[in-house]
């Protein structure tokens, strides 16, 4: 293995933008347990799903096809920022005194600063194609909400976002970003839905949860079936599917660096779409016998779905409007402490990623919040990039591994899923630096 | 002229990173009026400048050499984000119904989200080489301050920043960013310097100005000559020099799109380093007779140095510690209204850019703040990118031109200097959208 010692980052031209999304379902040794209808408990059908999603997305959710074409119009919007760079963190390596070669796949160059636009643009496109005029959604820290707000503005659609109250109150910048794109934003739980009003009555002091916000957004879509559909930013199969462009690009870029494979991959896991999008194309190569990449889904100790949750059928929302999905879950009534990594506060985990972990093709890892911010600050001072707090969890896990590798014999390649930058999460860094973090 | 209709953005590999900075002084038909010593009023010498700058930067300030090598260590740090993309704003073109081809050179992919790191890394490097342990500086909106904070952390140096009070109070995120990189930040005018105390006595309600902050930062450096030097983020020749990597890359990238030249260039002008860095290599081609590019330095109507100021010798700071420089100036006692484009609040203008404008090689253009934000929102909704308010001034001027060009006969290429993203300036966008902007 000889790596290019002069290169800092691998860029791909527009012409190398992936032409398809990769559906790992086609290659898994065992089929995934089906989503179940919340009423009948029977496997959901296309018809069930088209109540809240447009036909194309419902088909993707149930598809077993290996590759799914990315429409030209979606690729054209992707091409504003994609392919994203794979960057070697040479200064960080030196700082750590590690023999590991550390790369990060940087999704922060997207319009909103995170990977979420990979799915929002696709979802807005397929909804627009189906004649939908308005999308409703939930958001935590606001990455997904701003991604969908941009995508809706690109297709001339309305966008209504329920944002978890903890983030709505502490992270006003992403709300402003959503509003700059023309979206309407509500603090969740809100008074606008039956689900929200019930929550507020039962838990007047709640700081909200993604599960609550999902219930509100679904209810809002269901009550305007003529115009509105619901859109989810993680967890579901079709969302994970859209994110696989990350991993497809990474494979090509590792080769540009002269790497045969990523030995270790660390991605943060909230709903699971970032680490799944990065790793699934790499796991395909493992399954084909060409690589031996180890994949770690890194979650916060405060919301440890994979490492402390149960693998069982559960709802994706609090009220029970979503299908039952077999996944790692802490239970829909789990309300995490207001950790700053708002994107990692979800009670469940992508059923597809959960299944992949069950099959032993990836594994979970929990990181303490303070360790994540410590790693984030170290990374920022070495590389200039302040990682999103979500991504800092992956950074912390990668750094712990890199620190253990100091000799040439220990050398390996590490890829970090840098899901986004943390410039809108600076108050959390401030609290960490001031020692006032909860 | 045939442009590539499939391409959205032109990327250059690390290997195409410029190897030199371009010094336009070598090619101008008339020499630039020299800076004058504030005491003797004689042209400043190297010795005069080395009181506040390290020898290498002092030499660059007075150099008449055409090309100046970029040190390997600086290029290595540049390579984390450089070359930056040149992106064609196809969706915006469609939205405007223009026949113009609109490109933007996007510096927002840098670690701190603006072009300022091009000079901060160079300045920190040369200071570090000279044994300097601590840099002092001023900042407006905080782009320069965070750029220098990052650069100092990369070289293990201390960093102390005086931030204009108007921005310090209204834009806490960039202060947090500076602190995340390990810098110390003061609101200017402060109680820490004689200059600051005098200002606070004379103008207790002042919202500060860059000129005041410059005085404070210089004083702080001068009182610790063993360890400290002063660093400026714009205006001076050596700063403009470092920014020419922007234009060098742009020339190559326009060719990748199949463009013979940029017909029109719009860059925002506060101290002048962004528009100068973008345009000087293009003006070199004009001077060589190979192109006929028109360059516009776009400033806010509220701080119209070029379009309303006088071209005369003036100080760069309020107290009169800097050399006298011949430049467009509104006078050192000019305190602009607290416009949101904090980076465009400076009373003067780069003497080198001023000279270039005097020679008729570029021209000034003033834009109203409301027009800048209107253009910024339009750009954001079409392209996903929220421009920095500074850059929105350039966007507004470019859009006005593009709107006038609707027929094939009017077609032309326009390049916008997108100096950075506006994700840390969202409160200003919010005020614009709410109609509560001053």
């Amino acid at each position: 293995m000889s790596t290019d010692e002069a290169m800092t980052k691998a860029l791909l031209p527009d012409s190398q933008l992936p032409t398809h999304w990769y559906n790992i379902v086609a290659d898994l040794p065992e089929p995934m347990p089906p989503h179940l209808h919340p009423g009948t408990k029977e496997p959901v059908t296309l018809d069930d799903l088209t109540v809240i999603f447009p036909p194309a997305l419902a088909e993707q959710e149930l598809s077993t096809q290996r590759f799914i074409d990315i429409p030209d119009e979606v690729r054209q919007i992707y091409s504003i920022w994609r392919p994203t760079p794979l960057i070697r963190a040479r200064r960080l390596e030196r700082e750590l005194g590690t023999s590991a070669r550390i790369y990060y796949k940087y999704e922060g160059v997207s319009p909103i600063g995170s990977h979420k636009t990979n799915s929002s643009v696709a979802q807005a496109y397929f909804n627009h194609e189906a004649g939908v005029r308005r999308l409703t959604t939930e958001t935590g820290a606001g990455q997904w909400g701003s991604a969908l707000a941009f995508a809706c503005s690109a297709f001339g659609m309305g966008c209504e976002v329920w944002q978890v109250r903890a983030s709505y109150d502490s992270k006003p910048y992403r709300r402003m970003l959503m509003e700059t794109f023309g979206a309407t934003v509500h603090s969740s739980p809100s008074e606008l839905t039956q689900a929200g009003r019930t929550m507020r009555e039962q838990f007047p002091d709640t700081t909200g949860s993604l599960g609550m916000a999902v219930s509100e957004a679904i209810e809002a879509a269901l009550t305007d079936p003529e115009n509105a559909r619901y859109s989810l930013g993680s967890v579901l199969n079709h969302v994970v599917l859209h994110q696989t462009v990350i991993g497809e690009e990474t494979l090509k870029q590792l080769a540009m660096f002269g790497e045969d494979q990523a030995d270790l991959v660390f991605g943060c896991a909230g709903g699971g779409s970032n680490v799944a999008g990065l790793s699934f194309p790499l796991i395909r190569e493992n399954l084909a016998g060409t690589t031996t990449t180890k994949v770690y889904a890194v979650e916060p100790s405060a919301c440890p779905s994979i490492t402390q949750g149960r693998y069982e059928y559960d709802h994706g929302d609090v009220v029970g409007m979503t299908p039952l999905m077999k996944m790692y879950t802490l239970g829909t009534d789990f309300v995490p402490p207001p950790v700053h990594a708002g994107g990692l506060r979800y009670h469940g985990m992508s059923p597809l990623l959960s299944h992949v972990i069950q099959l032993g093709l990836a594994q979970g890892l929990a990181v303490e919040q303070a360790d994540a911010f410590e790693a984030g600050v170290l990374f920022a001072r070495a590389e200039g990039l302040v990682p999103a707090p979500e991504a800092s969890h992956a950074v912390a896990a990668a750094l712990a591994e890199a620190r253990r590798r100091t000799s040439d014999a220990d050398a390996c390649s590490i890829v970090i899923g840098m899901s986004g930058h943390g410039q809108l999460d600076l108050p959390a860094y401030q609290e960490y630096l001031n020692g006032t973090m909860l």
Side-chain angles (χ1 to χ4, degrees), chain A:
Chain A
M1 217 270 343
S2 85
T3 56
D4 184 337
E5 282 309 315
M7 239 171 94
T8 300
K9 64 187 177 310
L11 300 175
L12 294 166
D14 291 7
S15 57
Q16 297 272 324
L17 189 67
T19 53
H20 60 267
W21 293 302
Y22 169 60
N23 184 5
I24 199 172
V25 168
D27 289 324
L28 293 177
E30 285 175 33
M32 184 183 151
H35 305 337
L36 305 180
H37 187 284
T40 66
K41 310 285 197 279
E42 291 295 315
V44 292
T45 63
L46 264 186
D47 285 349
D48 295 335
L49 290 177
T50 46
V51 177
I52 46 174
F53 299 121
L57 294 177
E59 276 167 34
Q60 288 171 18
E61 186 63 25
L62 302 181
S63 174
T64 56
Q65 197 182 316
R66 180 171 288 114
F67 293 110
I68 294 175
D69 286 348
I70 307 176
D72 281 347
E73 206 162 338
V74 173
R75 290 183 78 232
Q76 214 174 55
I77 299 180
Y78 277 177
S79 72
I80 296 176
W81 72 95
R82 300 211 75 83
T84 61
L86 181 73
I87 305 176
R88 182 156 170 197
R90 291 184 182 277
R91 303 181 59 82
L92 180 69
E93 289 172 16
R94 231 176 330 180
E95 185 88 9
L96 298 172
T98 180
S99 59
R101 301 177 300 283
I102 305 177
Y103 301 90
Y104 58 99
K105 177 64 171 168
Y106 184 38
E107 293 292 307
V109 294
S110 97
I112 61 129
S114 88
H115 70 296
K116 294 287 188 180
T117 40
N118 298 331
S119 188
S120 72
V121 171
Q123 291 191 42
Y125 169 80
F126 289 117
N127 273 285
H128 184 250
E129 285 291 289
V132 175
R133 281 185 278 255
R134 192 167 69 88
L135 287 177
T136 68
T137 198
E138 77 295 326
T139 198
Q143 275 122 333
W144 170 248
S146 47
L148 194 67
F150 158 59
C152 285
S153 104
F155 289 101
M157 301 165 74
C159 184
E160 198 164 1
V161 184
W162 275 262
Q163 182 172 26
V164 176
R165 187 194 286 180
S167 292
Y168 185 94
D169 291 342
S170 70
K171 299 186 172 179
Y173 276 52
R174 284 220 179 80
R175 173 180 55 72
M176 296 177 199
L177 186 55
M178 294 184 249
E179 290 170 355
T180 299
F181 288 131
T184 306
V185 188
H186 312 293
S187 173
S188 171
S190 75
E191 288 291 340
L192 297 165
T193 64
Q194 188 52 52
R197 288 187 293 271
T198 306
M199 289 302 141
R200 286 165 72 113
E201 230 163 76
Q202 284 183 12
F203 312 102
D205 297 327
T206 180
T207 52
S209 74
L210 278 168
M212 284 184 201
V214 172
S215 291
E216 293 204 90
I218 293 182
E219 183 184 324
L222 290 176
T223 52
D224 182 16
E226 282 295 298
N227 301 298
R229 287 293 180 279
Y230 165 71
S231 176
L232 188 71
S234 191
V235 181
L236 295 176
N237 298 352
H238 67 274
V239 184
V240 168
L241 177 79
H242 302 151
Q243 295 294 350
T244 57
V245 289
I246 303 174
E248 295 291 4
E249 292 174 6
T250 301
L251 282 171
K252 290 184 187 176
Q253 290 167 313
L254 283 167
M256 289 169 74
F257 275 108
E259 296 283 1
D260 301 328
Q261 68 168 26
D263 294 322
L264 304 169
V265 170
F266 296 91
C268 60
S273 78
N274 184 256
V275 65
L278 170 60
S279 67
F280 282 4
L282 280 64
I283 292 174
R284 175 185 67 217
E285 302 305 310
N286 281 353
L287 289 168
T290 50
T291 56
T292 56
T293 299
K294 278 193 190 166
V295 174
Y296 295 92
V298 187
E299 59 185 10
S301 304
C303 191
S305 324
I306 305 171
T307 54
Q308 301 285 327
R310 284 183 308 239
Y311 183 59
E312 63 186 22
Y313 272 102
D314 197 1
H315 288 285
D317 69 325
V318 170
V319 171
M321 288 195 258
T322 72
L324 284 160
M325 299 179 285
K326 192 151 186 192
M327 60 182 177
Y328 288 103
T329 176
L330 297 159
T332 54
D333 55 352
F334 178 80
V335 175
V339 293
H340 290 285
L344 304 181
R345 289 164 51 82
Y346 191 62
H347 69 278
M349 183 54 58
S350 153
L352 187 48
L353 178 63
S354 297
H355 181 54
V356 163
I357 291 172
Q358 274 290 308
L359 293 171
L361 304 175
Q363 54 193 297
L365 198 64
V367 161
E368 295 288 340
Q369 174 162 272
D371 295 337
F373 278 97
E374 185 192 9
V377 170
L378 183 71
F379 193 98
R381 293 185 181 177
E383 295 288 320
L385 166 70
V386 181
E390 290 82 2
S392 283
H393 287 74
V395 173
L399 261 52
E401 182 67 36
R403 282 192 173 110
R404 281 192 289 271
R405 293 170 179 265
T406 51
S407 73
D408 284 355
D410 286 339
C412 72
S413 61
I414 294 178
V415 174
I416 299 171
M418 189 61 71
S419 59
H421 67 64
Q423 292 197 1
L424 299 189
D425 306 288
L426 286 164
Y429 276 92
Q430 184 84 6
E431 287 180 26
Y432 168 73
L433 292 170
N434 291 348
T436 54
M437 185 163 267
L438 293 176

